[in-house]
């Protein structure tokens, strides 16, 4: 089935294995734009997406990156980092400072793999719950996304019929649930992503 009829312009995967449980976590970044959009229009409306894997503290790199993207405008911000094979996420409506305040109250452990997002709401109010990242029900996949998933309503209905519970009003959340379902069948996330586009 299609995740979206739009153009997937960027897609990357950051993953970590938890040696003890062998569970997998994946942080996903996707930029989907409506098929009718032109490059210029996309630039005008772009939210901010940052991803990092490396030796530095990922939270710092990601938040610094989001700060540099603030000029694009946004209504909420969020991060997800991989810690010991599991995903920790924090997100807040409003300015990046709100997210930083939340992280200082409820810190995330050190991590070398992380993603961050500044959102311009298209589907769902600009609140904490609708801020990205969006996680699969088992918490092993976190998705941040820029753009619109045009057929999300049909996908959401299908997912709900199969028993999946959504926590947000966003179109983006369906991607986390669809990928989680597919990851039960395959190890290769890149292949799964391509199959959905
Ligand atoms: N359609 C998504 C949402 O409303 C992404 C919006 C954006 O590009 O920031 O959450």
């Amino acid at each position: 089935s299609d995740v979206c009829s739009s153009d997937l312009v960027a897609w990357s995967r950051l993953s970590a294995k938890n040696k003890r449980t062998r569970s997998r976590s994946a942080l996903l970044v996707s930029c989907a734009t409506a098929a009718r959009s032109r490059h210029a229009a996309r630039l005008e409306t772009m939210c901010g997406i940052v991803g990092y894997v490396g030796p530095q503290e990922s939270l710092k790199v990601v938040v610094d990156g989001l700060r540099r993207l603030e000029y694009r405008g946004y209504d909420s911000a969020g991060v997800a980092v991989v810690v010991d094979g599991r995903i920790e996420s924090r997100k807040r409506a409003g300015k990046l400072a709100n997210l930083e305040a939340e992280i200082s109250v409820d810190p995330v452990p050190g991590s070398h793999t992380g993603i961050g997002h500044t959102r311009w709401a298209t589907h769902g109010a600009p609140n904490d719950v609708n801020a990205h990242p969006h996680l699969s029900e088992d918490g092993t996949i976190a998705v941040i996304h820029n753009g619109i998933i045009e057929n999300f309503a049909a996908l959401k209905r299908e997912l709900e019929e199969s028993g999946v519970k959504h926590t947000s009003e966003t179109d983006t959340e369906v991607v986390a649930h669809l990928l989680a379902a597919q990851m039960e069948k395959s190890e290769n996330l890149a292949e799964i992503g391509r199959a959905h586009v």
Side-chain angles (χ1 to χ4, degrees):
S1 64
D2 289 344
V3 166
C4 58
S5 58
S6 55
D7 168 33
L8 195 62
V9 295
W11 175 277
S12 72
R13 175 200 180 197
L14 318 173
S15 72
K17 275 188 199 294
N18 179 332
K19 290 193 188 75
R20 199 155 35 83
T21 64
R22 300 194 60 74
S23 71
R24 287 166 306 145
S25 301
L27 303 179
L28 294 158
V29 179
S30 95
C31 294
T33 58
R36 65 183 171 278
S37 294
R38 293 287 172 268
H39 185 62
R42 189 187 303 159
L43 289 177
E44 279 164 26
T45 57
M46 225 178 211
C47 67
I49 281 182
V50 181
Y52 177 78
V53 186
Q56 297 180 54
E57 176 51 58
S58 64
L59 181 69
K60 183 179 174 354
V61 176
V62 164
V63 172
D64 285 350
L66 290 179
R67 196 170 298 112
R68 292 167 65 181
L69 296 172
E70 277 190 292
Y71 72 92
R72 295 169 186 230
Y74 63 103
D75 55 52
S76 56
V79 294
V81 296
V82 176
V83 182
D84 292 334
R86 62 170 212 286
I87 292 173
E88 290 267 350
S89 175
R90 304 285 183 274
K91 46 196 204 172
R92 274 291 173 269
K95 290 294 169 195
L96 198 52
N98 297 356
L99 175 65
E100 291 179 287
E102 165 65 12
I103 293 168
S104 65
V105 170
D106 186 11
V108 295
S111 164
H112 299 292
T113 305
I115 55 176
H117 186 263
T118 46
R119 175 179 187 234
W120 260 128
T122 64
H123 293 63
N127 59 27
D128 292 348
V129 173
N130 290 334
H132 298 206
H134 292 286
L135 271 65
S136 56
E137 283 182 305
D138 64 2
T140 61
I141 295 178
V143 176
I144 57 179
H145 155 246
N146 170 23
I148 292 169
I149 295 165
E150 290 176 359
N151 58 342
F152 98 99
L155 293 168
K156 186 169 181 173
R157 211 165 32 245
E158 274 173 35
L159 285 161
E160 283 175 346
E161 278 165 15
S162 70
V164 173
K165 292 206 172 13
H166 291 70
T167 55
S168 78
E169 303 161 323
T170 65
D171 50 346
T172 304
E173 189 183 345
V174 299
V175 179
H177 299 311
L178 287 169
L179 290 173
Q182 289 300 318
M183 276 180 76
E184 285 174 12
K185 300 177 201 155
S186 167
E187 292 276 307
N188 189 333
L189 192 55
E191 218 168 72
I192 292 167
R194 275 193 298 275
H196 272 300
V197 175

